[in-house]
Amino acid sequence: MNTGPGVFLACVFGTLRGMAKCGTCEQEFDLSDARQEFATTEYGDETDYDRHFDGELCGECAISQANSWFNAGSAILMMNGDMDYDADHVEKYL
């Protein structure tokens, strides 16, 4: 069960059980829906959502954040010579 700050705030401020407020877009969202939405991406499954976002972000914002992390990581690998270098990608994400 998720016990992160998003769940805590949802309980304290009386939103529906299982609902939380996204720390990025500030929309209320259902935690189980966010987990399922994140699980449909190539980044991981429902347990990865809990480990990385802990109820803080809705599914859409969690996917956007994971995309950002992936792109920044790829740019670092390109700078280190571990991936084919793409100057546009490196400039955009670093």
Side-chain angles (χ1 to χ4, degrees), residues 3-93:
T3 58
V7 175
F8 173 75
L9 292 173
C11 293
V12 169
F13 295 108
T15 56
L16 296 174
R17 180 167 171 73
M19 297 292 284
K21 190 172 185 179
C22 181
T24 301
C25 70
E26 299 186 357
Q27 296 291 322
E28 279 192 2
F29 66 95
D30 185 281
L31 290 169
S32 62
D33 289 345
R35 286 185 190 105
Q36 289 175 349
E37 188 174 353
F38 191 77
T40 64
T41 68
E42 69 265 22
Y43 300 116
D45 56 24
E46 294 179 13
T47 59
D48 291 326
Y49 172 87
D50 290 336
R51 184 177 46 205
H52 296 297
F53 303 107
D54 205 24
E56 286 291 311
L57 301 179
C58 66
E60 185 176 326
C61 290
I63 292 168
S64 178
Q65 181 64 55
N67 282 332
S68 177
W69 290 338
F70 178 80
N71 287 323
S74 294
I76 291 169
L77 291 173
M78 288 176 191
M79 293 292 295
N80 290 338
D82 297 327
M83 286 181 73
D84 290 337
Y85 191 79
D86 178 350
D88 292 334
H89 183 90
V90 170
E91 185 176 325
K92 183 175 181 179
Y93 293 105

